[in-house]
């Protein structure tokens, strides 16, 4: 048995329920960490997770393009919980890291010695006026929700021309490539069905560029040129009128017009559409935002951890990874795969009173689907440093074998290896 006390962390004896390690969220990150902790012999691990189902979200892009069955992206949560790990089926409602207690929606108090925070990201559809009312209707959809991805495909098939509009918000989003992948698939769909000439494809983004990594941007610029897509940067979607089929954007501080007159009210522009795919604003779940774990420097409320050790900057017995964390990299499952072993190593070290020894370098990757049957893999580290890792092949090229990887290889790897702590 390993020595379990650290100088900085006292065992919590007051709460009714208590676990040595409590994991908030049994999604990609929570399950992967739990599996790895069990493989390292940790006997007392619990996951607090409300959902009976677990989703393989990366395939929702393909679901939205009719290239993957929605049902194949969902499985029951129960068999995915690693053997020997306790599943508490409830929501975390409040975290008190000073008392080392999490309060659940049902009113239970769960004490912990060490906490792993992985409740994912919150989709803030309500931040865009009129959007929630029209989602799934009037040609408005979003691949960011399981129930809506099939609607994207339904609307895409009804398109015969006009304007197809795709948006990206100013907040970080899960899978930075997702807002644009569905755009390329729609443009390819139009080409294959003979109406590309009558379809105007517009990317309305609050970002400043199509991709921040220059080597990846270079490939995407050519894809955009090939399809004749109109990119409009520095504009944030603020309202949608589904009945009139109009989307309203506000120009951001980076827009040349606003830069020229920073004190004037920000101009708005309205774009009529036939089909609208929205990537909503995103933030940490509200219970994190309202807790002492949140990064006070941003209203988005990410769990404030050291970007290399994944340990909380104020509470040494708290760690975080995945979409809810403050890690300044693109939020993906691929990033979680690299974060999980680092977190587990440093957590086990902390349980033995050691300083963190493992370091996360910001690795993330995004399979950029650019057409039916074409994909290239964007891999990079912190500071947008391009970092291709696949040996022998040129991953900067759009390739059919990479499409097969996205459609068949990565889901297999996810379900059978990653969630079991084996990859
Ligand atoms: C359209 C789309 C395309 C994507 N494409 C890719 C891709 O190609 N490649 C890639 O690597 N990644 C992709 N991703 C991103 C990837 O799915 C996420 O980055 C990854 O799932 C993050 O893992 P996570 O555990 O942080 O969050 P999640 O997997 O979302 O899990 C969070 C868990 O926390 C639970 N939870 C929520 N609130 C609470 C609460 N109050 N208390 C307790 N539990 C709670 C949820 O039920 C959920 O199970 C994509 C995502 C989307 C939506």
């Amino acid at each position: 048995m390993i020595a379990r006390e650290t100088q900085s962390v006292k065992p919590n004896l007051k709460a009714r329920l208590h676990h040595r390690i409590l994991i908030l969220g049994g999604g990609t990150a929570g399950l992967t960490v739990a599996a790895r902790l069990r493989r390292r012999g940790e006997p007392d691990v619990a996951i607090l997770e409300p959902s009976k189902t677990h989703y393989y979200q990366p395939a929702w892009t393909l679901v939205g393009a009719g290239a993957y069955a929605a049902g194949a992206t969902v499985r029951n949560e129960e068999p995915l919980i690693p053997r020997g790990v306790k599943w508490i089926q409830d929501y975390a409602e409040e975290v008190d890291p000073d008392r080392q207690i999490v309060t659940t929606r049902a009113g239970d108090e769960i004490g912990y010695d060490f906490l792993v925070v992985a409740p994912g990201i919150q989709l803030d559809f309500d931040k865009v006026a009129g959007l929630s009312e029209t989602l799934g209707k009037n040609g408005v959809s979003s691949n960011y929700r399981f129930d809506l991805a099939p609607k994207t495909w339904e609307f895409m098939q009804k398109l015969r021309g006009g304007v197809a509009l795709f948006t990206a918000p100013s907040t970080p989003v899960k899978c930075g490539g997702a807002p644009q992948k569905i755009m390329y698939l729609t443009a390819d769909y139009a080409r294959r069905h003979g109406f590309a000439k009558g379809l105007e494809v517009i990317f309305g983004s609050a970002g400043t560029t199509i991709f921040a990594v220059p080597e990846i941007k270079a490939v995407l610029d050519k894809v955009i040129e090939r399809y004749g897509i109109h990119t409009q940067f520095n504009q944030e979607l603020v309202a949608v009128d589904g009945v009139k089929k109009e989307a309203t954007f506000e120009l951001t501080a980076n827009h040349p017009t606003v830069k020229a007159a920073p004190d004037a009210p920000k101009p708005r522009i309205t774009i009529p559409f036939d089909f609208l795919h929205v990537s909503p604003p995103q933030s940490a779940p509200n219970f994190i935002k309202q807790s002492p774990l949140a990064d006070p420097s941003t209203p988005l409320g990410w769990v404030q951890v050291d970007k290399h050790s994944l340990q909380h900057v104020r509470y040494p017995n708290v760690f975080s990874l995945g979409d809810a964390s403050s890690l300044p990299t693109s939020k993906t499952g691929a990033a979680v795969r690299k974060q999980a072993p680092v977190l587990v190593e440093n957590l086990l070290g902390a349980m033995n009173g050691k300083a963190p020894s493992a370091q996360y370098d910001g690795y993330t990757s995004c399979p950029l689907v650019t057409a039916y049957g074409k994909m290239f893999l964007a891999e990079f580290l912190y500071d947008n440093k391009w970092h291709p890792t696949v040996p022998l092949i040129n991953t900067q090229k759009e390739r059919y074998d990479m499409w097969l990887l996205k459609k068949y290889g990565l889901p297999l790897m996810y379900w059978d290896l990653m969630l079991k702590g084996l990859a």
Side-chain angles (χ1 to χ4, degrees):
M1 192 79 159
I2 27 181
R4 288 177 159 273
E5 293 305 321
T6 65
Q7 283 139 1
S8 54
V9 180
K10 294 185 204 85
N12 186 318
L13 302 172
K14 281 187 199 140
R16 231 169 359 108
L17 298 168
H18 179 271
H19 290 280
R20 181 70 173 155
I21 303 172
L22 177 63
I23 302 175
L24 302 187
T28 306
L31 288 174
T32 305
V33 166
R36 285 181 171 270
L37 285 169
R38 285 297 295 153
R39 286 186 183 280
R40 297 289 291 269
E42 272 315 305
D44 184 11
V45 180
I47 294 179
L48 181 61
E49 163 62 57
S51 178
K52 276 198 187 93
T53 45
H54 178 94
Y55 300 97
Y56 179 64
Q57 302 169 48
W60 291 351
T61 295
L62 300 182
V63 172
Y68 206 91
T73 70
V74 56
R75 292 195 187 175
N76 287 335
E77 178 81 9
E78 200 265 333
L80 299 173
I81 303 277
R83 195 178 298 220
V85 170
K86 181 170 174 194
W87 177 19
I88 305 167
Q89 199 187 343
D90 202 347
Y91 288 86
E93 197 94 308
E94 210 184 310
V95 188
D96 184 341
D98 294 305
R99 288 170 63 224
Q100 296 175 209
I101 282 181
V102 173
T103 306
T104 72
R105 188 169 288 179
D108 288 325
E109 290 198 333
I110 311 171
Y112 63 83
D113 294 339
F114 292 87
L115 185 70
V116 177
V117 188
I121 212 162
Q122 178 171 295
L123 303 174
D124 295 323
F125 283 105
D126 289 340
K127 293 249 154 73
V128 179
L131 177 57
S132 294
E133 297 88 300
T134 194
L135 272 174
K137 294 183 280 195
N138 304 313
V140 182
S141 192
S142 176
N143 288 345
Y144 275 86
R145 258 179 32 197
F146 173 69
D147 59 321
L148 291 173
K151 284 278 172 191
T152 306
W153 173 228
E154 191 184 310
F155 297 145
M156 199 197 285
Q157 290 173 94
K158 285 186 184 148
L159 259 188
R160 281 295 165 263
V163 173
L165 177 59
F166 300 83
T167 72
S170 56
T171 66
V173 295
K174 45 183 161 187
C175 192
Q180 53 186 283
K181 294 187 233 185
I182 189 63
M183 172 171 75
Y184 305 134
L185 287 163
T186 306
D188 190 36
Y189 180 87
R191 189 182 59 82
R192 285 165 187 262
H193 289 81
F195 65 94
K197 283 215 166 72
L199 184 73
E200 188 182 4
V201 180
I202 303 175
F203 190 53
S205 166
T208 54
T209 175
I210 195 70
F211 216 95
V213 182
E215 291 84 353
I216 297 162
K217 177 181 181 301
V219 184
L220 291 173
D221 280 344
K222 285 195 202 122
V223 174
I224 284 167
E225 198 185 322
R226 180 172 84 222
Y227 288 128
I229 292 169
H230 298 122
T231 53
Q232 300 182 192
F233 295 111
N234 306 308
Q235 56 181 56
E236 179 106 58
L237 181 70
V238 290
V240 176
D241 186 327
V243 177
K244 285 193 190 158
K245 295 206 160 191
E246 286 178 353
T248 301
F249 294 82
E250 189 169 271
L251 304 187
T252 68
N254 283 320
H255 196 280
T257 326
V258 179
K259 267 190 176 162
D263 297 331
K266 291 202 185 89
R268 292 187 164 200
I269 53 167
T270 294
I271 303 179
F273 62 82
D274 295 280
F275 169 48
L276 172 65
H277 180 274
V278 178
S279 299
Q282 296 170 41
S283 63
N286 286 343
F287 81 95
I288 296 291
K289 280 194 204 97
Q290 290 147 10
S291 81
L293 299 178
D295 179 350
S297 72
T298 160
L300 301 177
W302 314 116
V303 184
Q304 194 180 14
V305 289
D306 177 86
K307 72 176 198 175
H308 296 298
S309 71
L310 281 53
Q311 187 174 38
H312 199 274
V313 297
R314 290 180 295 280
Y315 297 97
N317 61 334
V318 177
F319 290 77
S320 179
L321 78 170
D323 294 353
S325 74
S326 63
L327 299 170
T329 192
S330 181
K331 297 177 184 297
T332 64
V336 169
R337 189 162 80 83
K338 295 289 184 184
Q339 292 160 9
V342 172
L343 185 147
V344 166
E345 202 54 46
N346 289 339
L347 170 57
L348 294 176
M351 291 171 77
N352 288 299
K354 291 189 191 141
S357 57
Q359 300 250 312
Y360 171 58
D361 58 9
Y363 177 89
T364 188
S365 83
C366 182
L368 281 160
V369 177
T370 53
Y372 287 87
K374 275 191 185 166
M375 186 205 112
F376 79 96
L377 192 62
E379 297 179 282
F380 49 104
L381 308 177
Y382 281 140
D383 303 318
N384 297 319
K385 197 167 164 240
W386 186 47
H387 184 70
T389 64
V390 183
L392 302 175
I393 63 168
N394 179 0
T395 50
Q396 243 184 322
K397 264 189 125 144
E398 300 167 71
R399 304 171 63 101
Y400 180 62
D401 51 12
M402 284 279 139
W403 164 268
L404 296 178
L405 178 78
K406 164 88 186 159
K407 196 166 167 177
Y408 303 106
L410 293 176
L412 261 179
M413 191 276 290
Y414 183 79
W415 296 113
D416 293 345
L417 298 175
M418 183 172 162
L419 293 189
K420 294 182 174 154
L422 293 168

